[in-house]
Amino acid sequence: MAILVTASAAAFQPVPGYERDHNKGHDSGHDRKAPVALPATGTVQTAFTPGDDAGKLIRDAIDTAQHQVLVQAFSFTHRKIAEALVAAKRRGVDVKVLSDKNQIHRIPTSLISRIAAEGVPVFTDSDHDSAHNKVMVIDAGSPEATLITGSFNFTHAAQYKNAENVLLIKGNAALIDLYRKNWQRHYEHSLPYR
């Protein structure tokens, strides 16, 4: 058992001598933090596409939101997920979306403009080559707190054409708070859409 714990802890240590690519003008890895290890608690639901209805799993979670839904999206073309976010906003839930700036304009079927037009605050994160997160943090800090993450872009293709995965995690307050803080860090350098 001690060997397993030691080996597991070592897996979370930064790689010695790791540095970012200086040719791109990025800082060295000296300012990087070691990855965080948290206890596995709570419940996890998963969906694999194209076979499972990941979109419904996500919509159902949004429909249960009481206070807040924080979204990070790379691409967004899934109409029913967009409608669920707009409906949550209309019933008084604080909904905010962070989106990749380039994807909004690159994908003709992007629903980000429509979501914004329906009154959902949308912000663009252009501080990175890609704002590639696919995350929803729902009601952080409450007993019903939910985290949605995985490879699943909130898109029609992710549901019907791609091999993707979604994890829906409840009952792990520390993990959900970590994702909420990460959302906040990106929000702080994002700009209002339009």
Side-chain angles (χ1 to χ4, degrees), residues 10-190:
F12 292 100
Q13 297 303 313
V15 177
Y18 173 77
E19 291 187 350
R20 300 271 316 255
D21 182 353
H22 291 289
N23 295 330
K24 293 184 179 179
H26 294 293
D27 296 329
S28 70
H30 299 294
D31 61 344
R32 301 207 179 278
K33 298 177 190 172
V36 176
L38 298 171
T41 62
T43 61
V44 177
Q45 287 179 276
T46 191
F48 301 97
T49 63
D52 298 337
D53 195 346
K56 181 171 179 3
L57 182 67
I58 294 167
R59 290 189 324 268
D60 288 350
I62 295 167
D63 290 347
T64 66
Q66 299 295 309
H67 309 289
Q68 188 175 62
V69 179
L70 303 175
V71 180
Q72 286 177 287
F74 179 63
S75 303
F76 207 124
T77 65
H78 197 293
R79 184 180 48 81
K80 290 183 179 180
I81 295 174
E83 289 170 355
L85 290 172
V86 170
K89 174 69 175 164
R90 287 184 181 151
R91 70 174 188 273
V93 175
D94 174 28
V95 178
K96 291 185 181 80
V97 176
L98 301 181
S99 183
D100 181 271
K101 183 178 182 178
N102 295 324
Q103 289 296 91
I104 295 171
H105 306 293
R106 201 173 280 159
I107 299 176
T109 56
S110 176
L111 296 175
I112 292 295
S113 294
R114 187 180 306 175
I115 291 168
E118 293 289 341
V120 174
V122 174
F123 303 86
T124 57
D125 183 350
S126 58
D127 268 18
H128 314 283
D129 288 344
S130 292
H132 206 247
N133 288 296
K134 299 102 173 174
V135 171
M136 290 190 191
V137 178
I138 300 173
D139 293 340
S142 76
E144 300 81 28
T146 303
L147 170 65
I148 298 169
T149 191
S151 69
F152 188 88
N153 281 301
F154 306 123
T155 64
H156 184 270
Q159 179 61 65
Y160 298 104
K161 297 179 180 180
N162 300 347
E164 305 274 1
N165 70 84
V166 171
L167 292 172
L168 187 148
I169 302 163
K170 292 184 175 197
N172 191 324
L175 179 64
I176 295 168
D177 192 54
L178 197 63
Y179 272 80
R180 182 196 59 76
K181 287 176 181 173
N182 185 64
W183 187 95
Q184 184 66 36
R185 274 193 297 275
H186 289 281
Y187 173 73
E188 288 170 5
H189 61 244
S190 294

